[in-house]
Amino acid sequence: MKQPNSPLTIPGINTFFSLAFTYTQAAIYTMLTLITGIIFTVVWGIVFAVTSYVTIWVLKPVLRLILDIVTPIGAINRFFVRTFLDPMFGSIGQMFAYLRGQFGLNVSGISREPTRASVQNV
């Protein structure tokens, strides 16, 4: 926004203040960008270094230890299931496979055939 021309203004003052404002704004912006850029670079470098350290030296060994513990337990579990449970449930399944029967539901008040009223209500 420019100051209006009036007899009280000196001719070069508006131009000087406009240039001073523009260059001061650019200098402050550049200085703040450099300062915050350096700070953010250091902070994010530390964050990623800590994350990498924790991943490599803490999480990976702990996960490897858990995997080393769980793998034999899974093998033992698989052995007991294949040895004892599979034959037992297979026998139970074969025992019930030869059952033949007819099952029905007998509820009083409900007829098997639809009535004319129930068909019309639908």
Side-chain angles (χ1 to χ4, degrees), residues 1 11 22 31 35 45 50 54 56 62-65 87 107-108 116:
M1 183 186 250
T22 303
M31 197 168 38
I35 292 171
V50 168
V54 168
I56 293 171
V62 167
L63 291 175
R64 182 62 186 211
L65 183 65
V107 179
S108 63
R116 181 174 240 196

Side-chain angles (χ1 to χ4, degrees), residues 20-37:
F21 173 75
T22 303
Y23 287 116
T24 304
Q25 180 185 15
I28 290 174
Y29 177 77
T30 304
M31 197 168 38
L32 288 175
T33 302
L34 286 173
I35 292 171
T36 56

Side-chain angles (χ1 to χ4, degrees), residues 14-49:
N14 285 340
T15 306
F16 171 74
F17 283 137
S18 174
L19 288 173
F21 173 75
T22 303
Y23 287 116
T24 304
Q25 180 185 15
I28 290 174
Y29 177 77
T30 304
M31 197 168 38
L32 288 175
T33 302
L34 286 173
I35 292 171
T36 56
I38 291 170
I39 291 172
F40 283 142
T41 301
V42 170
V43 168
W44 282 110
I46 291 171
V47 167
F48 284 120

Side-chain angles (χ1 to χ4, degrees), residues 6 9-10 13 15 30 41 44 54-55 63 70-71 73 112 118:
S6 71
T9 60
I10 301 172
I13 296 293
T15 306
T30 304
T41 301
W44 282 110
V54 168
T55 301
L63 291 175
V70 169
T71 302
I73 293 172
R112 292 183 178 257
S118 65

